[in-house]
Amino acid sequence: MEIRQLKYFIEVAKREHMTEAADVLHVAQSAVSRQISNLEAELGVSLFIRQGRKVRLTPIGRMFLDRTIQAMKMLDNATREVKEQLDPSRGTIRVSFPISLAAYIIPTAISAFREQYPEAKFQLKQATYHELIDLVLDGDYNMAILGPVPEHDERLYGHVLFTEKMVALVPINHHLAREPVLKLKQLKGESFILLPEKMKLREMITSACREQGFNPNVAFEGDDVDALKGLVSAGLGISVLPDSTVLENFPRATVKIPIVDPVVPRTVGIITAKDRKLLPTEELFFAFLKTFFSKWSASYS
């Protein structure tokens, strides 16, 4: 069994088409067909059901695909680890993160890290909260930065980098704009502008409002935090956001006001899988983040 055969197998399973897989692999279709046939002969089973030019996995093929993907991830990690042991400062850091950290927290941390390690490379992926957890558990990424940090998942290690509070963002001409602080109850009846349902940040805000005896009246939804800010600046409603999202970047036509009753906290940190260790360059970045945010939290608070 050859690595090349496994790569061909994964691509054909993904495309469900020999010719399309061959195009992606930049080889002849006959070469792909031959390697798949050789693999099936070696295993003694059929991995695909042929349907003209298309194929689909047999039940055994689906099982073998899952195992093969995991094996290839382990092989890729092993190859990267060998290279990074020689010089971790020049390796690649693969990290995933949510929308709410994309505008300020992640760029700030990466920029500071690159000042110390300019030859380090990054592969970044933005995803929703629950997708981030799955990406780490499935081995697609070894680490994710997210908020809040899961507390009771026995499959993950969670390290809190800092804790932040929620603030209200209101149009500058809003009747609450001159308030120094706000109680969450004061937002009852306001038109809320929030992320879509099933987003973790939306869940946190909705839950906090319900604990205060009301459901937020969601007038508009935006797919990212900048969209929410833009809608608030247009006077279409108010939003509740983590403070880190409006530290340096919020429209002039808006005002941010701390919410103090109750304080709605959000932990932000790193998750890693308990059954897998970080690669050397990832370890370097992990240690840097802990130091960086301990200093950042002290100045931020």
Side-chain angles (χ1 to χ4, degrees):
M1 190 178 301
E2 301 176 3
I3 293 176
R4 177 178 56 176
Q5 290 176 332
L6 299 180
K7 289 182 177 179
Y8 286 10
F9 166 68
I10 291 173
E11 199 62 46
V12 172
K14 185 191 306 180
R15 308 282 170 181
E16 294 187 335
H17 200 289
M18 291 282 186
T19 303
E20 291 180 8
D23 290 342
V24 172
L25 293 165
H26 303 294
V27 297
Q29 186 268 331
S30 59
V32 174
S33 298
R34 183 171 58 255
Q35 291 300 330
I36 295 298
S37 296
N38 291 343
L39 180 60
E40 290 177 319
E42 183 174 348
L43 293 172
V45 297
S46 294
L47 298 173
F48 294 100
I49 298 172
R50 274 70 174 176
Q51 299 174 317
R53 295 185 177 182
K54 297 201 68 176
V55 298
R56 62 183 177 87
L57 288 166
T58 63
I60 291 178
R62 286 194 295 272
M63 179 274 292
F64 187 67
L65 176 64
D66 291 340
R67 301 296 187 273
T68 300
I69 289 173
Q70 292 300 320
M72 294 303 292
K73 288 176 183 176
M74 292 177 64
L75 181 60
D76 288 343
N77 280 345
T79 303
R80 287 174 54 207
E81 184 170 9
V82 169
K83 293 179 180 179
E84 291 177 10
Q85 287 287 357
L86 300 175
D87 188 355
S89 68
R90 302 178 67 180
T92 299
I93 298 153
R94 302 178 71 249
V95 60
S96 51
F97 54 92
I99 289 170
S100 60
L101 300 178
Y104 180 78
I105 294 297
I106 297 299
T108 300
I110 290 177
S111 176
F113 181 79
R114 293 263 299 170
E115 287 181 5
Q116 292 189 30
Y117 305 101
E119 295 187 71
K121 296 173 285 295
F122 282 85
Q123 292 181 8
L124 306 174
K125 182 176 180 63
Q126 187 171 291
T128 66
Y129 183 83
H130 297 292
E131 288 172 345
L132 293 171
I133 293 174
D134 289 340
L135 285 170
V136 171
L137 291 175
D138 292 342
D140 296 310
Y141 283 75
N142 288 331
M143 65 191 305
I145 303 174
L146 80 177
V149 178
E151 295 181 352
H152 305 296
D153 195 323
E154 296 181 353
R155 303 166 296 175
L156 297 169
Y157 290 118
H159 181 87
V160 176
L161 296 171
F162 64 92
T163 300
E164 61 179 338
K165 301 172 184 177
M166 296 291 171
V167 299
L169 191 68
V170 305
I172 200 167
N173 60 355
H174 193 275
H175 68 94
L176 295 173
R178 294 182 179 273
E179 296 287 334
V181 295
L182 287 173
K183 295 181 179 181
L184 195 56
K185 286 183 177 179
Q186 290 177 263
L187 303 181
K188 182 178 181 179
E190 297 291 337
S191 295
F192 277 71
I193 301 170
L194 299 176
L195 293 171
E197 291 184 0
K198 297 184 179 180
M199 300 285 278
K200 188 64 176 180
L201 183 55
R202 165 79 168 260
E203 293 176 11
M204 291 181 63
I205 294 165
T206 300
S207 177
C209 291
R210 286 174 179 163
E211 289 178 6
Q212 295 303 301
F214 71 97
N215 285 312
N217 173 31
V218 182
F220 294 93
E221 294 181 348
D223 289 335
D224 58 57
V225 173
D226 284 338
L228 304 187
K229 296 176 189 177
L231 292 170
V232 173
S233 69
L236 299 178
I238 63 100
S239 191
V240 176
L241 297 167
D243 198 16
S244 65
T245 65
V246 288
L247 278 177
E248 293 187 354
N249 179 25
F250 61 97
R252 292 182 181 179
T254 63
V255 176
K256 70 169 182 174
I257 309 171
I259 297 173
V260 297
D261 184 14
V263 170
V264 184
R266 179 177 83 150
T267 56
V268 175
I270 306 167
I271 58 169
T272 59
K274 287 187 176 180
D275 64 354
R276 207 168 57 252
K277 68 176 184 177
L278 295 176
L279 298 177
T281 308
E282 294 168 341
E283 286 277 11
L284 194 67
F285 187 55
F286 183 90
F288 171 85
L289 289 176
K290 290 191 291 185
T291 301
F292 177 78
F293 281 106
S294 65
K295 296 177 181 177
W296 183 81
S297 297
S299 61
Y300 170 57
S301 57

